[in-house]
Amino acid sequence: MSKKPKIQRASGMRDVLPEEQKYFQKILDIAENVVDFYGFKKIDTPILEETELFSKGTGLLTDIVQKQMYNLKTKGGDFLSLRPEFTPGVIRAYIEHGMKNLPQPVKFYSFGPLFRYEHSQAGRHRQFHQFNIEVIGEGDPVIDAQVIQIFYNILSELKLKNLIVEVNSIGDPQCRAYYKKVLTSFLKHKESLLCPDCRRRLRENPLRVLDCKEEKCQKITSQAPQIIDHLCEDCHRHFKGVLEFLDEIELPYRLNPYLVRGLDYYTKTVFEIFIDETQKTEDDKPAARSALVGGGRYDNLVKLLGGENTFAGGGAMGIERVVIAMKNKNIKIIKSDDRSVFLAQIGSMAKRKGLKLLEEFRKAKIEVGESFGKDSLKSQLKMADKMKAKYTLLLGQREALEGSVIIRDMENGKQETVKIESAVKEIQKRLKK
Ligand code: HAM
């Protein structure tokens, strides 16, 4: 029986192995391509930020800040946290670098790891990755629609079908405060029927009761007054505008009056994108429906973090969840290890010359397979076959002494000896045919 290694990865953390890197790369390539079209620029912010940035930005009442942050105290006495999301860091950078002086809106995208101390399960990890976008400095509802459209386009280009876009408006602090009162008084009468978490939420953040996944709570909230009916005129007009733009671009969406999102900074539009089926876990068990993308407008965050009153909105896509969705749909990434040319060598002198020759091919941007660690010709030729090489360069002791190399056509077995200096040119000529 094989023994477990003593040191294993920390609980909830994952290695992204080469097989999965292909998916990450593909998702990033497509996402960058799409946002580039819409004029987004890349921004990298630190993985470690002051804890206060998140307690203020993400919000003291959120599960993220209350339960999920990785906090540390430095030797110098600073309180820092591993970022649980991108948005507060990007906004801090916007303020810190005086970007209000740039033509507005500024559009940023980021990609990288985030950390949340969660119960790990399928699609929920303690270190995960997001592709995140933010549009700062524009309040028009067209921006909200465009953010949704961007993620919809990325997922569609990844060949994911049956996407469900859910949208809602949670108003601004004024109309939401009034709605909270209406909702609280409705829920107060039924408090004893709520789950313990929702009883706490009722006091701290009653809106979060609306997106509780417990059946008994959902039974109650399905009867609750809806925020849509309590929006102020401005929020109502804004939401109508977003929906009209979505209709115009024929993007299918569903109104979900229970969608409130788990972060404190949202104002007006909130949205999530799902895939229309129960996701399966990596070990093939069905998992709870989880969003691939989440986002919305947050018009008060810049001010809250010390900047001026500035409109903003954005969203983020969870890479691991998109990978699971792609695998469930059998979407394959074809990035083969095939090489059209293979370089085989026999003997130490040939190995040295081969190393130099390989560099010539690299400079000429021709991918050449090799197996310098192997000395037997037979096993090297086996490797060439595996890589489906069209040509194999054979470099033995004699060729090394003569300054030549044999080009073997792997299809018909024909061999030709050429000068080592002209090997690149000869291969180029043959590959062009
Ligand atoms: P979020 O809903 O917390 O929003 O996260 C966005 C997405 O990240 C989720 O829909 C999910 O795909 C993925 N995700 C979240 N937590 C985990 C986890 N523990 N494991 C795996 N994937 C996860 C935000 O983070 C906002 N900052 C989005 C935003 C940007 N809003 C405006 N701008």
Side-chain angles (χ1 to χ4, degrees), residues 85 87 116 118 123 125 130 132 134 261 265-266 291-292 314-315:
E85 56 151 340
T87 312
R116 296 184 192 175
E118 301 212 57
H125 311 289
Q130 281 184 352
N132 182 83
E134 310 293 357
R261 309 264 305 129
Y265 46 65
Y266 289 113
L292 301 181

Side-chain angles (χ1 to χ4, degrees), residues 269-282:
T269 321
V270 288
F271 75 94
E272 282 184 345
I273 306 182
F274 301 87
I275 196 147
D276 186 16
E277 70 174 30
T278 313
Q279 296 227 354
K280 279 195 202 139
T281 64
E282 278 159 29

Side-chain angles (χ1 to χ4, degrees), residues 177-323:
Y178 174 68
Y179 172 68
K180 268 187 191 167
K181 274 191 196 154
V182 175
L183 180 66
T184 308
S185 84
F186 169 85
L187 293 172
K188 266 262 152 69
H189 293 106
K190 304 177 167 58
E191 187 169 350
S192 59
L193 304 171
L194 295 172
C195 73
D197 261 350
C198 280
R199 269 180 255 152
R200 177 181 51 83
R201 288 183 188 128
L202 183 56
R203 279 184 302 279
E204 292 175 357
N205 191 359
L207 248 58
R208 290 306 310 274
V209 178
L210 293 177
D211 71 353
C212 179
K213 305 287 176 282
E214 295 273 337
E215 204 178 315
K216 59 180 181 181
C217 299
Q218 287 187 346
K219 233 181 185 169
I220 294 167
T221 49
S222 67
Q223 310 289 320
Q226 297 187 354
I227 190 159
I228 283 293
D229 302 320
H230 294 84
L231 293 179
C232 64
E233 214 185 302
D234 178 42
C235 289
H236 187 83
R237 199 178 330 110
H238 185 94
F239 193 44
K240 192 163 163 266
V242 176
L243 301 184
E244 279 169 3
F245 282 121
L246 291 177
D247 289 335
E248 189 63 36
I249 55 177
E250 293 177 17
L251 193 144
Y253 62 87
R254 272 186 200 162
L255 293 177
N256 178 357
Y258 307 108
L259 181 67
V260 291
R261 309 264 305 129
L263 302 127
D264 277 359
Y265 46 65
Y266 289 113
T267 52
K268 300 181 175 167
T269 321
V270 288
F271 75 94
E272 282 184 345
I273 306 182
F274 301 87
I275 196 147
D276 186 16
E277 70 174 30
T278 313
Q279 296 227 354
K280 279 195 202 139
T281 64
E282 278 159 29
D283 48 16
D284 231 28
K285 291 187 192 121
R289 190 177 84 138
S290 47
L292 301 181
V293 180
R297 178 164 281 286
Y298 52 93
D299 290 338
N300 298 325
L301 186 59
V302 181
K303 178 109 189 272
L304 186 75
L305 293 177
E308 291 177 6
N309 242 337
T310 310
F311 296 115
M317 175 170 84
I319 306 299
E320 283 78 0
R321 292 194 189 170
V322 175
V323 173

Side-chain angles (χ1 to χ4, degrees), residues 51-60 65 88 264-265 301 304-306:
T51 300
E52 194 189 353
L53 175 70
F54 303 111
S55 47
K56 255 190 165 176
T58 309
L60 266 181
V65 170
D264 277 359
Y265 46 65
L301 186 59
L304 186 75
L305 293 177

Side-chain angles (χ1 to χ4, degrees), residues 10-21:
S11 169
M13 303 288 175
R14 293 178 72 246
D15 297 309
V16 184
L17 301 177
E19 181 270 335
E20 198 167 293
Q21 293 288 350

